[in-house]
């Protein structure tokens, strides 16, 4: 008896179920200020920062409750300086991403984590006229590695350097 009164014998039965439940709580703070009160060219400087903190709790399957859910980044933040004056905009920022679970397994020793990392990005933009501008951006300026480990940080699974990514071009409003 295959549950279908003998019909469909020899066929495979596949089904999908939800992987459990999750609860996510968080906090986010953001600050941005242009220092236009400073005299002369110094008035073009500005600063910005943000911080995000997530607390997760849930199950993947079954009834075991865990405090780390895959692909949720518990801590992330950015801090940077800008200079905006006339037609020129310059920005530099430090990005931080905390350690995060990227692959869950019923055995915690087989969990895979992406290591915390910090990267630096810079950008420049020059507005030629109200409709046309030029820009160049550099991401991960110091070529920080992307490192994934299993269980303990001493068991690497993947370590990659993606290099510094450059992009540039023309922006337009039509």
């Amino acid at each position: 008896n295959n549950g279908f009164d003998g019909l469909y014998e020899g066929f495979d039965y596949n089904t999908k179920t939800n992987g459990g439940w999750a609860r996510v709580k968080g906090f986010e703070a953001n600050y941005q200020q242009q220092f236009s009160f400073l005299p002369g060219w110094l008035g073009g400087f500005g600063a910005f920062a943000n911080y995000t903190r997530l607390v997760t709790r849930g199950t993947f399957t079954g009834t075991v409750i865990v405090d780390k859910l895959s692909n949720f980044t518990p801590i992330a933040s950015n801090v940077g300086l800008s200079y905006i004056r006339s037609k020129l905009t310059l920005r530099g920022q430090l990005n931080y991403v905390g350690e995060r679970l990227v692959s869950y397994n019923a055995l915690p020793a087989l969990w895979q984590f992406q290591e915390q990392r910090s990267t630096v990005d810079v950008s420049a933009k020059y507005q030629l006229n109200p409709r046309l501008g030029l820009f160049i951006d550099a991401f991960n300026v110091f070529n920080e590695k992307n490192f994934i480990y299993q269980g303990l940080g001493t068991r690497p699974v993947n370590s990659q350097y993606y290099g510094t990514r450059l992009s540039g071009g023309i922006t337009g409003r039509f």
Side-chain angles (χ1 to χ4, degrees), residues 30-72:
N30 185 48
Y31 172 80
Q32 182 175 347
Q33 180 171 357
Q34 285 302 121
F35 302 124
S36 55
F37 55 86
L38 293 175
W41 63 273
L42 293 173
F45 281 103
F48 54 94
N50 65 49
Y51 174 83
T52 301
R53 173 84 166 117
L54 298 177
V55 177
T56 59
R57 186 172 172 84
T59 62
F60 286 95
T61 58
T63 59
V64 177
I65 298 174
V66 295
D67 290 330
K68 293 181 191 288
L69 299 178
S70 61
N71 297 315
F72 280 89

Side-chain angles (χ1 to χ4, degrees), residues 27-29 48-54 68 72-80 92-101 113-121 139-142 144-147 149:
F27 170 80
E28 185 172 9
F48 54 94
N50 65 49
Y51 174 83
T52 301
R53 173 84 166 117
L54 298 177
K68 293 181 191 288
F72 280 89
T73 304
I75 298 175
S77 62
N78 300 292
V79 63
Q93 71 181 39
L94 173 67
N95 310 296
Y96 171 80
V97 177
E99 175 190 80
R100 70 185 182 112
L101 179 66
F113 293 89
Q114 182 174 13
E115 185 179 59
Q116 67 181 5
R117 69 185 224 157
S118 297
T119 59
V120 173
D121 300 337
F139 301 96
N140 193 14
V141 171
F142 300 111
E144 295 298 324
K145 72 179 173 188
N146 185 34
F147 183 72
Y149 64 91

Side-chain angles (χ1 to χ4, degrees), residues 109-158:
L110 298 178
W111 290 4
Q112 292 183 2
F113 293 89
Q114 182 174 13
E115 185 179 59
Q116 67 181 5
R117 69 185 224 157
S118 297
T119 59
V120 173
D121 300 337
V122 295
S123 66
K125 181 178 179 183
Y126 186 78
Q127 198 67 36
L128 297 169
N129 60 48
R131 294 179 162 252
L132 199 59
L134 303 172
F135 74 93
I136 187 164
D137 299 323
F139 301 96
N140 193 14
V141 171
F142 300 111
N143 192 20
E144 295 298 324
K145 72 179 173 188
N146 185 34
F147 183 72
I148 296 176
Y149 64 91
Q150 184 172 312
L152 301 172
T154 57
R155 295 185 356 217
V157 173
N158 191 340

Side-chain angles (χ1 to χ4, degrees), residues 2-25:
N2 62 4
F4 298 100
D5 296 326
L7 298 174
Y8 312 111
E9 186 149 339
F11 285 85
D12 289 333
Y13 176 71
N14 296 312
T15 185
K16 293 183 180 184
T17 61
N18 285 333
W21 59 269
R23 196 171 292 135
V24 180
K25 295 180 182 179

